[in-house]
Amino acid sequence: MVPLFQQRRVGGVLSGIKPNRWDWALLPLVLAVLAAMAFGASQMSKPFVTGAPTSIYLDPIYLPYYLLRTILRMFAALACSLLFCFVYAAIAAKYRAAEKVLIPLLDVLQSVPILGFQAIAIGPFIALFPGNLLGVECAAIFAIFTSQAWNMTFSLYESMRTVPEELSEAARVFRLSGWQRFWRLELPFAMPGLLWNMMMSMSGGWFFLVAAEAISVAGQDIKLPGIGAYIAVAIEAESGLAIAWAICAMLLGIMLYDQLFFRPLLAWADKFRFEETQGDTAQHSWLLGWGRRSRWMRAFTLRFWAMLQCSLGWFSIGSADRAKPARSHNIAVWLSRAWDGLIVLAALLATWRLAVFVHADVGWAEVVHVAGLGLITLLRVLVLIGLASVVWVPIAVWVGLRPRYSQRVQAVAQFLAAFPVNLMFPLVVYVLLVYRLDPNIWLSPLMVFGTQWYILFNVVAGASTIPNDLRLAADNLGLQGWLKWKRVYLPAVFPSYVTGAITASGGSWNASIVAEYVTWGKTTLVADGLGSYIKQMTDAGDFHRIALGISIMCIFVMLLNRFFWRKLYALAEKRVR
């Protein structure tokens, strides 16, 4: 705890603190980051007229500028995703009535393709900022947000629902308010998994970057300066050299924000483990080490934590406060039943409206056809998620139990997770055409290429929080081989695996739009499935069939989550309790 007089001293002007050599080492880095952010932000609010041509140049000299614009959009979307998951997950985890609506709604949101969100958002954002590029920028940031927020929200929700009972009992003994419990217990407990999902969210943003930065509206293509638009132009021009330059720029960007942002956060989050991590088992960051030695940085962080400490007292429970009288049990039961009835009525109303829409605009034969395509995509999703689980769960557990190795594979995993599947189109088209392979089979792996990493990242986070005492007890009992995995490792990472599998499943449905309809220049390969159907109807501008395809996809995802993944969630909660 920082003494009060020291907190007041920290609140003074930083110029009164004499800098040391670490301050001078950090100063150029901080100024460079601030200058880059200011320059990139100034470029986002230029004048813009709908219909005016937008130019993206394939000369690699423009790539640093495009990389800056892309990273700024992705971090803006990440900040919005973080705020969203704090509010959404906390309400869903703490209030059963809200959970009955918010979690199924989250299933729907993660199943809606990014093209669906973009079609809804682009018009209002452009109207909100007329004559300014900021409207299109906000639409792109919103599109990236829809590829980042859902897995972070699932991760925080799962962690808050699986807080160990002894920690919850301690919070009740210390009379923590809801605000204090969130900041003192639930968020620190969820921090390892949340950080790994933040990294996965950044990678997911890269995966859908082409759709976010190359926007089609009112028959006009708008390409925002960025790596995604650069890739889209390179694909249209069939330029393999430009694709190679884009890969190099993406790798550089991932390395930069890994070293300057995620690596320090992971090293800092070691304090939230159940036991201290020492020596070569702890996460390390050169930037965090410099910051801890910097006098200015220490003063700034002490001031920040002092302000947060003050906020924790706003909603505290005083020792003299009396508990509020509980409501009548009968009233609570009737209110719960009334709420359930409203949910059922809303579901019936939505079903009726969907039936009217189908009967009037597309016909039932089309519904049967699209449902059959959905079953094909469902089969692909289940098979690919199963194969990915068999491959990545053992690897993730091994990496998570050895933090020194997780630091080495962290940036590599981020790069592989971020690798847009569009960049593989040249190779995929060439191989399938030369060897005359069936697209219905050999395009399928593209669906899971960018989503299997949700399983890896979540299981690594879960394995890294296994207490050393549990591992030592297993060794002392002589547990080895499959018995050790069955009794120790798999139960410990099971809640994290379920979170990763849910988000990987939802991401695979979205990725089907890219994976089942592959274009390279004038060559197009199409696999039967719901994703290719939505893509073809989007290109044709058939709004009714786009809505039908998205609705069928949402129904499939909701049914899969409700009758399969939710059962696994309930099992995970019972095992933790």
Side-chain angles (χ1 to χ4, degrees):
M1 178 66 70
V2 181
L4 183 60
F5 72 88
Q6 189 174 351
Q7 293 179 14
R8 291 174 177 171
R9 181 183 177 187
V10 168
V13 182
L14 286 181
S15 59
I17 300 176
K18 185 178 179 179
N20 57 16
R21 58 176 179 169
W22 301 104
D23 292 306
W24 294 116
L26 282 173
L27 185 60
L29 179 61
V30 173
L31 292 178
V33 171
L34 292 177
M37 292 175 60
F39 174 73
S42 67
Q43 299 298 305
M44 290 182 173
S45 56
K46 286 185 172 182
F48 172 77
V49 178
T50 303
T54 55
S55 300
I56 300 295
Y57 305 100
L58 295 183
D59 192 329
I61 197 173
Y62 292 94
L63 277 175
Y65 172 64
Y66 294 160
L67 180 63
L68 172 64
R69 295 287 295 272
T70 291
I71 290 179
L72 285 180
R73 292 186 194 106
M74 294 181 71
F75 271 99
L78 186 69
C80 296
S81 301
L82 198 61
L83 293 175
F84 174 85
C85 85
F86 280 177
V87 176
Y88 199 101
I91 294 175
K94 291 177 179 292
Y95 301 101
R96 288 286 183 179
E99 180 187 29
K100 295 176 181 178
V101 176
L102 294 182
I103 296 305
L105 180 60
L106 194 61
D107 294 336
V108 174
L109 291 174
Q110 75 158 345
S111 63
V112 175
I114 188 173
L115 295 176
F117 285 113
Q118 199 174 61
I120 296 173
I122 181 65
F125 276 121
I126 290 180
L128 188 61
F129 300 96
N132 197 299
L133 189 63
L134 192 58
V136 187
E137 290 284 355
C138 288
I141 291 172
F142 177 76
I144 298 172
F145 162 85
T146 62
S147 67
Q148 293 182 343
W150 321 132
N151 64 298
M152 293 169 57
T153 306
F154 270 121
S155 175
L156 184 57
Y157 167 78
E158 176 262 327
S159 297
M160 293 179 68
R161 289 297 304 271
T162 56
V163 173
E165 186 60 35
E166 58 269 22
L167 296 182
S168 299
E169 182 64 27
R172 288 190 290 269
V173 169
F174 287 109
R175 298 177 58 80
L176 298 185
S177 65
W179 180 252
Q180 291 171 332
R181 178 186 171 92
F182 179 77
W183 286 105
R184 295 284 194 184
L185 172 61
E186 293 164 342
L187 186 59
F189 177 77
M191 188 59 67
L194 183 60
L195 282 178
W196 281 94
N197 274 278
M198 287 171 62
M199 290 190 291
M200 187 61 230
S201 292
M202 287 292 287
S203 299
W206 284 101
F207 190 79
F208 294 104
L209 200 60
V210 174
E213 292 183 350
I215 302 172
S216 297
V217 56
Q220 189 229 348
D221 291 332
I222 303 174
K223 291 183 173 61
L224 293 172
I227 300 297
Y230 183 91
I231 294 173
V233 173
I235 291 174
E236 293 174 1
E238 299 186 52
S239 175
L241 180 60
I243 293 291
W245 281 114
I247 293 174
C248 293
M250 187 177 66
L251 177 60
L252 176 62
I254 292 172
M255 291 176 61
L256 283 175
Y257 66 67
D258 174 68
Q259 292 296 317
L260 301 181
F261 186 74
F262 285 119
R263 187 64 60 87
L265 278 180
L266 285 173
W268 169 77
D270 266 342
K271 66 172 70 177
F272 299 122
R273 291 170 60 92
F274 285 127
E275 68 275 341
E276 294 291 332
T277 51
Q278 300 177 352
D280 61 353
T281 63
Q283 294 274 356
H284 298 285
S285 168
W286 60 270
L287 183 60
L288 184 64
W290 286 15
R292 285 171 172 169
R293 294 180 177 91
S294 165
R295 292 176 182 172
W296 284 351
M297 189 60 65
R298 285 181 61 84
F300 173 78
T301 54
L302 287 174
R303 178 176 175 81
F304 172 79
W305 291 119
M307 294 173 62
L308 181 60
Q309 182 70 25
C310 293
S311 74
L312 292 178
W314 294 347
F315 307 101
S316 60
I317 302 175
S319 58
D321 293 344
R322 294 182 179 179
K324 296 180 180 180
R327 292 184 177 183
S328 169
H329 176 70
N330 292 331
I331 295 178
V333 170
W334 280 107
L335 287 176
S336 178
R337 291 178 178 176
W339 179 245
D340 292 343
L342 288 176
I343 295 175
V344 172
L345 287 176
L348 292 175
L349 177 61
T351 303
W352 175 73
R353 293 294 300 171
L354 180 61
V356 171
F357 164 75
V358 168
H359 181 74
D361 296 306
V362 295
W364 293 103
E366 186 71 7
V367 173
V368 174
H369 171 65
V370 177
L373 296 177
L375 289 174
I376 296 174
T377 301
L378 173 64
L379 179 62
R380 290 194 180 107
V381 169
L382 293 178
V383 171
L384 292 171
I385 293 298
L387 293 175
S389 301
V390 172
V391 172
W392 290 114
V393 168
I395 296 176
V397 171
W398 188 89
V399 172
L401 295 176
R402 297 163 179 82
R404 62 182 180 274
Y405 290 107
S406 68
Q407 295 181 68
R408 299 174 185 175
V409 303
Q410 176 182 320
V412 177
Q414 286 187 76
F415 175 73
L416 293 175
F419 198 85
V421 70
N422 313 69
L423 297 180
M424 299 184 64
F425 285 177
L427 178 62
V428 171
V429 171
Y430 174 79
V431 171
L432 265 65
L433 289 179
V434 169
Y435 295 97
R436 299 181 181 180
L437 301 176
D438 186 358
N440 286 304
I441 298 176
W442 297 103
L443 287 182
S444 300
L446 294 178
M447 289 176 55
V448 79
F449 184 81
T451 59
Q452 60 186 334
W453 312 107
Y454 288 107
I455 297 174
L456 174 66
F457 277 53
N458 278 276
V459 176
V460 166
S464 66
T465 59
I466 297 177
N468 283 332
D469 292 344
L470 180 61
R471 296 163 59 184
L472 292 174
D475 292 338
N476 290 335
L477 293 174
L479 298 182
Q480 294 180 352
W482 170 244
L483 184 61
K484 190 173 185 179
W485 279 85
K486 181 180 178 181
R487 298 298 185 187
V488 180
Y489 293 154
L490 292 181
V493 302
F494 187 65
S496 300
Y497 166 74
V498 174
T499 300
I502 287 178
T503 50
S505 175
S508 296
W509 284 94
N510 278 321
S512 67
I513 297 177
V514 180
E516 294 178 349
Y517 191 90
V518 172
T519 301
W520 174 248
K522 297 180 180 180
T523 303
T524 301
L525 299 176
V526 180
D528 295 329
L530 190 54
S532 63
Y533 177 87
I534 295 174
K535 176 62 176 175
Q536 293 177 75
M537 294 303 107
T538 300
D539 292 343
D542 192 333
F543 174 77
H544 296 98
R545 283 170 172 76
I546 295 172
L548 175 64
I550 293 175
S551 299
I552 295 296
M553 183 175 287
C554 292
I555 291 172
F556 270 103
V557 173
M558 288 184 64
L559 291 176
L560 183 62
N561 287 356
R562 175 65 179 85
F563 294 104
F564 184 68
W565 297 119
R566 292 297 158 213
K567 301 295 183 181
L568 294 183
Y569 246 137
L571 178 61
E573 290 181 13
K574 290 180 181 178
R575 296 185 75 93
V576 170
R577 298 297 179 184

